[in-house]
Amino acid sequence: MYMPDPGFVRGTLLRRGQLARRGAALLVAGLVAVALGLSGVLVAVVNPVLIIGGLVAVYAGVDRLVWAARRRRLDLLLGLASAWLVLLVGAAILAPVLPLGEHEDVAATITDPIFLEPFTYGDHPLGTNGAGLDMLARVIYGARASLTIAVMAVTIGLVVGSAIGIIAGFYRRKVDTVIGIFTNALLAVPPLILLIVLATVLDPKVRNMAIALSLLTIPTMVRLARANTIAYSQREFVLAARALGATKGRIMVRELLPNVLPPMLSMAVVVMSALIVAEASLSFLGLGIQPPSPTWGNMILEAEANDTMTEHPFILLVPGTVLFLTVYSVNLLGERAQQRWDPRGAKL
Amino acid sequence: MSTEVASTTQAPPVLEVVDLETRFHTARGVVRAVDGVSLSLRAGETLGLVGESGSGKSVLGRTLMGLIATGGTTEVSGTVRIAGQAVHELSGRQRRKLWGPKIAMVFQDPMTSLNPVRPIGVHLTDPLRLHLGLSRRAAKERAVELLDRVGIPDPRRRLEQYPHELSGGMRQRVMIAVALSCDPEILIADEPTTALDVTVQKQILDLLGSLARERQMATVLISHDLGAVEGRTDRVVVMYAGRAVETAPTTELFAAPHHPYAEALIGSVPALDAPPHTVLRAIDGTPPDMANPPVGCRYAPRCNRAQDLCRDQMPLLLDTSPGRSVACHFPVSVALPDVPEVPDGANEKETV
Amino acid sequence: MRALLRRLGQLVAVLALVSFGVFLLVAALPGDPAAAILGPGRPPEDYAALRAEMGLDQPLFQRYFEWLGQALTGDLGSSTVPPYLDVSDRITAALPVSIELACLGLLIALLIAIPLALVSAYREGGLVDRVVSGGTFAILSIPSFLLGLLLIMLVVETLGWLPRSQWVRLSDSVAGNLEHAILPAIVIALPEAALFTRILRNDLVRTLREDFVLAARAKGMPPSRVMLNEALRPSSFSLVTVVGIALGTLIGSTVIVEYLFSLPGMGTLVVTAASQGDFPIVQGATLVIATLYVLINTGIDVVYGYLDPRTRRVHA
């Protein structure tokens, strides 16, 4: 007779108890490793390995415990990533009204302590930099700058890219060839070089950076929109619309656009992280937003200049960790989004 | 003194399967693709394994070989003995030693079963050199012999060609040559003709038959096509939803099937000599969801003879006469002796 | 043959467009280069004379074709910043550094990626696969300059194994060159390796699901043979494509690394020139980089077409 097995957990051969025990073991081992790493008891080189390995073990342990408890696997990583992004975006939006320290006015902090370690004082939870500016505030205002630029760039890229791509895919032939040559030309220049060249020419303002970065996204967006447009144009509903006398413009907007847009949106999320990285890279090279206005890129530059990071590693690690966590979270979101809405595109 | 005459050859079975179960642990639940099948096969015998898509026959074939085994999210229980060795108790490496010399498989789609970026020759010489230790030249000669035996013209030239340069029928012949290369005792042909043209199907089946006779290989012919099985096999096992529902010598099955499903299957084959506009007899409904099969007889929802008993109690595979068994509470044209309530123990399923 | 000509035609069109775009970008700048060079406070005739000498008063297209013509003969103009060297000279000095970095990085990346991908795909979903998958994802989420800094902090500062900057020419000393090149090459290699691993692993997993792999296993072939002979070959095609793309973009992505390690390559050249406003160098360097990129990509396409026997002409 067939009977449901109460000890069975979906998706694995392990029983509930086994899974829970493994989870607990991983969790404990992970916590121990992290504690060891932070305490600095062992050789310096081993510490980052311990901390990172420990955090991974903690995550794996909690994941299994939840899996055993609920008998099905939850996407814990996605939850954490989303939480981080919500926190970050929220802080970035609310920055002016939050009780933060001073983030860019060097004159105001002349009398403040410099190079204060994080997690020591209540006043400056993430420490201060070489000019006495509060690191937490700088990180949050940096997020504001980076995210604004990235969002603007991606929006421009989406709008312009989908428009050009749909036109190319719809009209084909000569229009398509011409657009194709332009797209290939744009892609022929390695992105960073293009950015650098543009940065030479333009003023490092938020608006200009957004436009420059959008140029990076446009070719990809055009290609994606074009490919999807071609695929959908062959489908019957387009033919039906034509047969009913719809104008070309109407078809493009009413029939094609709503179908082409979803995979582009998930590509937009994927692209966002690349844009954040690109903006940070530019700032790191000194060609982006200028200090003391903070962006994660130039905060890291601060750490590199004069080898500051040797004496005060946290100047590197604070913006570095935040940058990494953000890029990671956006990448994760993008990957999940692509799995849902554009599986063919999700190869990475 | 022996009086039993079940079959003429008394040689020990070359393939023995007892209570084989293959379970896949998926996110939707446990799928019992093979849910308790037993059979045995002697040298020179051909067994037909018949069922629709999803009946578990392909999974059974692969589990027989050991290609599907416990690991990952798969669980196999029961016993499979090949030449006396319990396949699923062997290590991976030991199992691999069986594949080729003792048991071999011909796969369904010759287009995808050959590596498109490697020439035909290496498909043959690889196992020859691995299992038989032949030198490169000797392996090449043997490969030419094999291709010749399966009826491929100009075999020497074919060795250098790529799969896409051959026709479907020729590719399947190559697959057969590959399977035979190390002289296996057991051959499993998993839907060997499904992907081929009708005219070629007969040639391939004929080839398989003659090779089996010539080498006294025990053969399992898996197919959803009754026509492929009739006349070419000694016995047939009909599978439905992971279980064997009827077993019989082939001629007897086609003459008088006992299980309603077998009867419906045989009846659904259109006959060339039927009058025009004869209605095609299809079987209503679809196979059950193998993650949540129904309690009771799995064929009951589609059976025109189903009663309440069928829906409540799973029928067991019981002998009706020597060499025949059926799993049905109300089989066609035969009366079952009274069976006691669901007994547990070894006598539930008789070996075929 | 016709396809080849068409491809060639597209190539030329793309190159023309890129060169024009680069030229335009720099030529359409606000501001007066003559004033920048001479400084303020000179009589207007001087500026006019300099502009005429630099050819700035001619129509745009004429200037473009002149510039392009000169470029094709190897003359890319001179730097506008002391010590006023020839652009082509500076590029010839800087290019080998970048190329060596790119090639070394690519090699290391492949040496890491191929074994990792094979092991990951062999046991799909196993521990190694999950760890590698998570690891590569994480590495791809670290911007290269951050990765470089972290490695520097680790290897140079803490361990003191390798030098922080400078460069030793290959022609001078191979050992010295390698010592300085290895860390930057690793920084370049890691993200590429992560990418290659993911792509190759996915492709291998897909190939492993093919019937012919099962058929090969059913012949008793050991797993190592199956992975290498049956699975790797078909999967290598997508890898070749990705490597091709990577090779092109590598020249550009060496920028950050060169900057970090103060290496005299194309990247540093462009960045320094950009910050100094030395437009001829920016123009010339970008042109060279873009041309290389397009040529390499076209080359990869051709090689790809040759490798896959299914696209080769059938020799009947």
Side-chain angles (χ1 to χ4, degrees), chain A residues 94-140:
Chain A
L94 294 173
V97 302
L98 286 174
L100 295 170
E102 179 52 51
H103 67 278
E104 63 180 351
D105 188 353
V106 191
T109 56
I110 284 202
T111 51
D112 285 345
I114 61 171
F115 291 127
L116 208 56
E117 294 272 324
F119 308 128
T120 46
Y121 271 65
D123 258 358
H124 299 284
L126 286 178
T128 61
N129 74 347
L133 296 168
D134 179 47
M135 290 293 274
L136 179 62
R138 279 173 75 74
V139 159
I140 293 182

Short mmCIF file of all heavy atoms in Angstrom, two decimals, chain A residues 94-140:
data_model
loop_
_atom_site.label_atom_id
_atom_site.label_comp_id
_atom_site.label_asym_id
_atom_site.label_seq_id
_atom_site.Cartn_x
_atom_site.Cartn_y
_atom_site.Cartn_z
N LEU A 94 16.18 57.51 2.85
CA LEU A 94 15.86 58.29 4.04
C LEU A 94 17.07 59.05 4.57
O LEU A 94 16.96 59.70 5.60
CB LEU A 94 15.35 57.36 5.14
CG LEU A 94 14.01 56.68 4.84
CD1 LEU A 94 13.70 55.66 5.92
CD2 LEU A 94 12.91 57.72 4.78
N ALA A 95 18.20 58.96 3.88
CA ALA A 95 19.44 59.49 4.43
C ALA A 95 19.32 60.88 5.05
O ALA A 95 19.78 61.11 6.16
CB ALA A 95 20.53 59.46 3.37
N PRO A 96 18.71 61.84 4.35
CA PRO A 96 18.68 63.20 4.92
C PRO A 96 17.99 63.29 6.26
O PRO A 96 18.33 64.12 7.09
CB PRO A 96 17.93 64.02 3.87
CG PRO A 96 18.05 63.26 2.62
CD PRO A 96 18.10 61.83 3.01
N VAL A 97 17.02 62.39 6.50
CA VAL A 97 16.30 62.53 7.77
C VAL A 97 16.82 61.59 8.85
O VAL A 97 16.35 61.60 9.97
CB VAL A 97 14.78 62.29 7.58
CG1 VAL A 97 14.23 63.25 6.55
CG2 VAL A 97 14.52 60.86 7.18
N LEU A 98 17.81 60.77 8.51
CA LEU A 98 18.34 59.85 9.51
C LEU A 98 19.35 60.58 10.38
O LEU A 98 20.05 61.50 9.92
CB LEU A 98 19.00 58.66 8.84
CG LEU A 98 18.07 57.63 8.20
CD1 LEU A 98 18.89 56.60 7.45
CD2 LEU A 98 17.19 56.96 9.24
N PRO A 99 19.47 60.14 11.65
CA PRO A 99 20.44 60.77 12.55
C PRO A 99 21.86 60.30 12.25
O PRO A 99 22.45 59.51 12.98
CB PRO A 99 19.99 60.31 13.93
CG PRO A 99 19.32 59.01 13.68
CD PRO A 99 18.68 59.10 12.33
N LEU A 100 22.43 60.78 11.14
CA LEU A 100 23.75 60.33 10.75
C LEU A 100 24.80 61.38 11.05
O LEU A 100 24.50 62.56 11.19
CB LEU A 100 23.79 60.02 9.25
CG LEU A 100 22.92 58.86 8.77
CD1 LEU A 100 22.89 58.84 7.26
CD2 LEU A 100 23.45 57.55 9.30
N GLY A 101 26.05 60.91 11.05
CA GLY A 101 27.15 61.85 11.23
C GLY A 101 27.39 62.65 9.95
O GLY A 101 26.63 62.57 8.99
N GLU A 102 28.44 63.38 9.92
CA GLU A 102 28.76 64.21 8.77
C GLU A 102 29.45 63.37 7.70
O GLU A 102 30.38 62.63 7.98
CB GLU A 102 29.69 65.34 9.21
CG GLU A 102 30.10 66.25 8.06
CD GLU A 102 28.90 66.76 7.28
OE1 GLU A 102 27.95 67.30 7.91
OE2 GLU A 102 28.88 66.62 6.05
N HIS A 103 28.98 63.52 6.45
CA HIS A 103 29.53 62.64 5.43
C HIS A 103 30.46 63.31 4.44
O HIS A 103 31.24 62.65 3.79
CB HIS A 103 28.40 61.93 4.68
CG HIS A 103 27.55 62.86 3.87
ND1 HIS A 103 26.54 63.61 4.42
CD2 HIS A 103 27.60 63.21 2.58
CE1 HIS A 103 25.98 64.35 3.47
NE2 HIS A 103 26.60 64.14 2.35
N GLU A 104 30.36 64.65 4.29
CA GLU A 104 31.27 65.23 3.29
C GLU A 104 31.84 66.59 3.64
O GLU A 104 32.81 67.02 3.06
CB GLU A 104 30.59 65.29 1.93
CG GLU A 104 29.38 66.20 1.88
CD GLU A 104 28.74 66.22 0.50
OE1 GLU A 104 29.37 65.67 -0.43
OE2 GLU A 104 27.66 66.78 0.36
N ASP A 105 31.28 67.27 4.61
CA ASP A 105 31.77 68.61 4.90
C ASP A 105 32.99 68.53 5.79
O ASP A 105 32.91 68.39 7.00
CB ASP A 105 30.65 69.40 5.58
CG ASP A 105 31.03 70.87 5.71
OD1 ASP A 105 32.20 71.22 5.41
OD2 ASP A 105 30.17 71.66 6.13
N VAL A 106 34.16 68.61 5.14
CA VAL A 106 35.40 68.42 5.90
C VAL A 106 35.60 69.50 6.95
O VAL A 106 36.15 69.26 8.02
CB VAL A 106 36.61 68.42 4.93
CG1 VAL A 106 37.85 67.95 5.64
CG2 VAL A 106 36.32 67.54 3.74
N ALA A 107 35.12 70.68 6.63
CA ALA A 107 35.31 71.77 7.58
C ALA A 107 34.62 71.49 8.90
O ALA A 107 35.14 71.82 9.97
CB ALA A 107 34.78 73.07 6.97
N ALA A 108 33.47 70.84 8.82
CA ALA A 108 32.70 70.64 10.04
C ALA A 108 33.33 69.63 10.98
O ALA A 108 33.02 69.58 12.17
CB ALA A 108 31.28 70.19 9.68
N THR A 109 34.22 68.78 10.41
CA THR A 109 34.72 67.69 11.26
C THR A 109 36.19 67.90 11.66
O THR A 109 36.86 66.98 12.06
CB THR A 109 34.60 66.34 10.53
OG1 THR A 109 35.31 66.45 9.29
CG2 THR A 109 33.15 66.00 10.29
N ILE A 110 36.64 69.12 11.50
CA ILE A 110 38.07 69.38 11.80
C ILE A 110 38.45 68.93 13.19
O ILE A 110 39.55 68.45 13.43
CB ILE A 110 38.37 70.88 11.60
CG1 ILE A 110 38.45 71.16 10.10
CG2 ILE A 110 39.63 71.27 12.30
CD1 ILE A 110 39.22 72.37 9.72
N THR A 111 37.53 69.09 14.09
CA THR A 111 37.88 68.76 15.47
C THR A 111 37.53 67.33 15.85
O THR A 111 37.78 66.90 16.97
CB THR A 111 37.15 69.70 16.45
OG1 THR A 111 35.76 69.67 16.10
CG2 THR A 111 37.68 71.11 16.30
N ASP A 112 36.97 66.57 14.90
CA ASP A 112 36.57 65.20 15.24
C ASP A 112 37.75 64.24 15.14
O ASP A 112 38.71 64.49 14.40
CB ASP A 112 35.46 64.73 14.29
CG ASP A 112 34.13 65.38 14.67
OD1 ASP A 112 34.04 65.93 15.79
OD2 ASP A 112 33.20 65.34 13.85
N PRO A 113 37.67 63.13 15.87
CA PRO A 113 38.76 62.14 15.82
C PRO A 113 38.86 61.52 14.43
O PRO A 113 37.86 61.29 13.77
CB PRO A 113 38.36 61.09 16.86
CG PRO A 113 36.90 61.25 17.02
CD PRO A 113 36.60 62.69 16.78
N ILE A 114 40.10 61.28 13.99
CA ILE A 114 40.27 60.65 12.69
C ILE A 114 40.66 59.18 12.86
O ILE A 114 41.22 58.79 13.88
CB ILE A 114 41.35 61.36 11.84
CG1 ILE A 114 42.71 61.30 12.56
CG2 ILE A 114 40.93 62.76 11.54
CD1 ILE A 114 43.84 61.78 11.66
N PHE A 115 40.37 58.40 11.83
CA PHE A 115 40.71 56.97 11.81
C PHE A 115 40.25 56.23 13.06
O PHE A 115 40.94 55.39 13.59
CB PHE A 115 42.23 56.77 11.64
CG PHE A 115 42.71 57.17 10.29
CD1 PHE A 115 43.77 58.06 10.16
CD2 PHE A 115 42.11 56.67 9.14
CE1 PHE A 115 44.22 58.43 8.89
CE2 PHE A 115 42.56 57.04 7.89
CZ PHE A 115 43.62 57.93 7.76
N LEU A 116 39.05 56.56 13.47
CA LEU A 116 38.47 55.86 14.60
C LEU A 116 38.04 54.47 14.15
O LEU A 116 37.41 54.31 13.12
CB LEU A 116 37.25 56.65 15.07
CG LEU A 116 36.87 56.55 16.53
CD1 LEU A 116 38.04 56.93 17.41
CD2 LEU A 116 35.69 57.49 16.79
N GLU A 117 38.36 53.46 14.96
CA GLU A 117 37.97 52.09 14.57
C GLU A 117 36.47 51.91 14.67
O GLU A 117 35.82 52.51 15.53
CB GLU A 117 38.64 51.09 15.52
CG GLU A 117 40.14 51.03 15.41
CD GLU A 117 40.59 50.04 14.34
OE1 GLU A 117 39.93 49.00 14.22
OE2 GLU A 117 41.57 50.31 13.64
N PRO A 118 35.92 51.07 13.81
CA PRO A 118 34.48 50.81 13.92
C PRO A 118 34.16 49.96 15.14
O PRO A 118 35.05 49.34 15.71
CB PRO A 118 34.17 50.03 12.63
CG PRO A 118 35.45 49.52 12.16
CD PRO A 118 36.53 50.42 12.66
N PHE A 119 32.90 49.94 15.53
CA PHE A 119 32.39 49.16 16.65
C PHE A 119 33.05 49.53 17.97
O PHE A 119 33.08 48.75 18.89
CB PHE A 119 32.58 47.65 16.42
CG PHE A 119 32.04 47.18 15.11
CD1 PHE A 119 32.84 46.44 14.26
CD2 PHE A 119 30.76 47.52 14.69
CE1 PHE A 119 32.36 46.01 13.03
CE2 PHE A 119 30.28 47.10 13.46
CZ PHE A 119 31.08 46.34 12.63
N THR A 120 33.63 50.71 18.07
CA THR A 120 34.20 51.09 19.35
C THR A 120 33.32 52.15 20.03
O THR A 120 32.82 51.94 21.12
CB THR A 120 35.62 51.65 19.20
OG1 THR A 120 35.62 52.57 18.11
CG2 THR A 120 36.60 50.53 18.96
N TYR A 121 33.11 53.27 19.37
CA TYR A 121 32.32 54.34 19.98
C TYR A 121 30.87 54.28 19.55
O TYR A 121 30.55 53.84 18.47
CB TYR A 121 32.89 55.71 19.57
CG TYR A 121 33.96 56.19 20.51
CD1 TYR A 121 35.15 55.51 20.63
CD2 TYR A 121 33.77 57.35 21.27
CE1 TYR A 121 36.13 55.96 21.47
CE2 TYR A 121 34.76 57.80 22.12
CZ TYR A 121 35.94 57.11 22.22
OH TYR A 121 36.90 57.55 23.06
N GLY A 122 30.01 54.81 20.37
CA GLY A 122 28.60 54.86 20.00
C GLY A 122 28.35 55.92 18.94
O GLY A 122 27.46 55.79 18.10
N ASP A 123 29.13 56.98 18.95
CA ASP A 123 28.92 58.09 18.02
C ASP A 123 29.17 57.71 16.57
O ASP A 123 28.49 58.16 15.66
CB ASP A 123 29.90 59.23 18.39
CG ASP A 123 29.18 60.32 19.14
OD1 ASP A 123 27.96 60.19 19.34
OD2 ASP A 123 29.84 61.29 19.52
N HIS A 124 30.20 56.95 16.38
CA HIS A 124 30.59 56.59 15.01
C HIS A 124 30.65 55.08 14.90
O HIS A 124 31.70 54.48 15.05
CB HIS A 124 31.96 57.17 14.68
CG HIS A 124 32.02 58.66 14.75
ND1 HIS A 124 31.48 59.47 13.77
CD2 HIS A 124 32.52 59.50 15.68
CE1 HIS A 124 31.67 60.73 14.09
NE2 HIS A 124 32.28 60.79 15.25
N PRO A 125 29.50 54.45 14.61
CA PRO A 125 29.43 52.99 14.65
C PRO A 125 30.38 52.33 13.67
O PRO A 125 30.86 51.22 13.92
CB PRO A 125 27.98 52.68 14.26
CG PRO A 125 27.32 53.94 13.97
CD PRO A 125 28.20 55.08 14.33
N LEU A 126 30.65 52.98 12.54
CA LEU A 126 31.58 52.35 11.60
C LEU A 126 32.90 53.12 11.55
O LEU A 126 33.69 52.94 10.62
CB LEU A 126 30.96 52.27 10.21
CG LEU A 126 29.87 51.21 10.06
CD1 LEU A 126 29.29 51.23 8.65
CD2 LEU A 126 30.42 49.83 10.35
N GLY A 127 33.16 53.94 12.51
CA GLY A 127 34.43 54.64 12.56
C GLY A 127 34.44 55.93 11.75
O GLY A 127 33.43 56.35 11.20
N THR A 128 35.61 56.54 11.67
CA THR A 128 35.75 57.75 10.87
C THR A 128 36.96 57.61 9.96
O THR A 128 37.85 56.81 10.21
CB THR A 128 35.97 59.00 11.75
OG1 THR A 128 37.18 58.80 12.50
CG2 THR A 128 34.82 59.23 12.68
N ASN A 129 36.97 58.44 8.92
CA ASN A 129 38.08 58.33 7.97
C ASN A 129 39.17 59.35 8.31
O ASN A 129 39.16 59.93 9.41
CB ASN A 129 37.59 58.50 6.53
CG ASN A 129 37.25 59.95 6.22
OD1 ASN A 129 37.15 60.80 7.11
ND2 ASN A 129 37.07 60.23 4.94
N GLY A 130 40.05 59.54 7.37
CA GLY A 130 41.20 60.41 7.64
C GLY A 130 40.86 61.86 7.84
O GLY A 130 41.67 62.64 8.32
N ALA A 131 39.64 62.24 7.48
CA ALA A 131 39.25 63.64 7.67
C ALA A 131 38.20 63.77 8.75
O ALA A 131 37.55 64.80 8.89
CB ALA A 131 38.71 64.21 6.35
N GLY A 132 38.02 62.71 9.53
CA GLY A 132 37.06 62.79 10.61
C GLY A 132 35.62 62.59 10.19
O GLY A 132 34.70 62.68 11.00
N LEU A 133 35.40 62.31 8.91
CA LEU A 133 34.03 62.12 8.44
C LEU A 133 33.52 60.75 8.87
O LEU A 133 34.26 59.77 8.90
CB LEU A 133 33.98 62.22 6.91
CG LEU A 133 34.36 63.59 6.35
CD1 LEU A 133 34.58 63.51 4.85
CD2 LEU A 133 33.26 64.60 6.67
N ASP A 134 32.23 60.70 9.20
CA ASP A 134 31.64 59.49 9.73
C ASP A 134 31.49 58.43 8.62
O ASP A 134 30.88 58.67 7.58
CB ASP A 134 30.27 59.79 10.34
CG ASP A 134 29.60 58.56 10.88
OD1 ASP A 134 30.27 57.80 11.59
OD2 ASP A 134 28.41 58.34 10.59
N MET A 135 32.03 57.24 8.85
CA MET A 135 32.03 56.20 7.80
C MET A 135 30.62 55.71 7.50
O MET A 135 30.28 55.48 6.34
CB MET A 135 32.90 55.01 8.23
CG MET A 135 34.38 55.30 8.26
SD MET A 135 35.04 55.61 6.63
CE MET A 135 35.38 53.95 6.10
N LEU A 136 29.82 55.56 8.52
CA LEU A 136 28.46 55.06 8.28
C LEU A 136 27.70 56.02 7.38
O LEU A 136 27.06 55.62 6.40
CB LEU A 136 27.72 54.87 9.61
CG LEU A 136 26.28 54.38 9.49
CD1 LEU A 136 26.24 53.01 8.85
CD2 LEU A 136 25.60 54.34 10.85
N ALA A 137 27.80 57.29 7.70
CA ALA A 137 27.11 58.29 6.87
C ALA A 137 27.65 58.25 5.44
O ALA A 137 26.89 58.32 4.47
CB ALA A 137 27.28 59.67 7.48
N ARG A 138 28.95 58.14 5.33
CA ARG A 138 29.55 58.12 3.99
C ARG A 138 29.09 56.90 3.20
O ARG A 138 28.80 56.99 2.00
CB ARG A 138 31.08 58.14 4.08
CG ARG A 138 31.63 59.51 4.32
CD ARG A 138 33.11 59.46 4.58
NE ARG A 138 33.89 59.23 3.38
CZ ARG A 138 34.13 60.14 2.44
NH1 ARG A 138 33.57 61.34 2.55
NH2 ARG A 138 34.87 59.85 1.41
N VAL A 139 29.02 55.79 3.89
CA VAL A 139 28.56 54.59 3.20
C VAL A 139 27.13 54.78 2.70
O VAL A 139 26.80 54.44 1.56
CB VAL A 139 28.65 53.36 4.14
CG1 VAL A 139 27.73 52.26 3.66
CG2 VAL A 139 30.07 52.86 4.22
N ILE A 140 26.30 55.35 3.53
CA ILE A 140 24.89 55.52 3.14
C ILE A 140 24.75 56.57 2.03
O ILE A 140 24.02 56.36 1.06
CB ILE A 140 24.03 55.87 4.36
CG1 ILE A 140 24.00 54.68 5.31
CG2 ILE A 140 22.63 56.25 3.94
CD1 ILE A 140 23.15 54.87 6.53
#
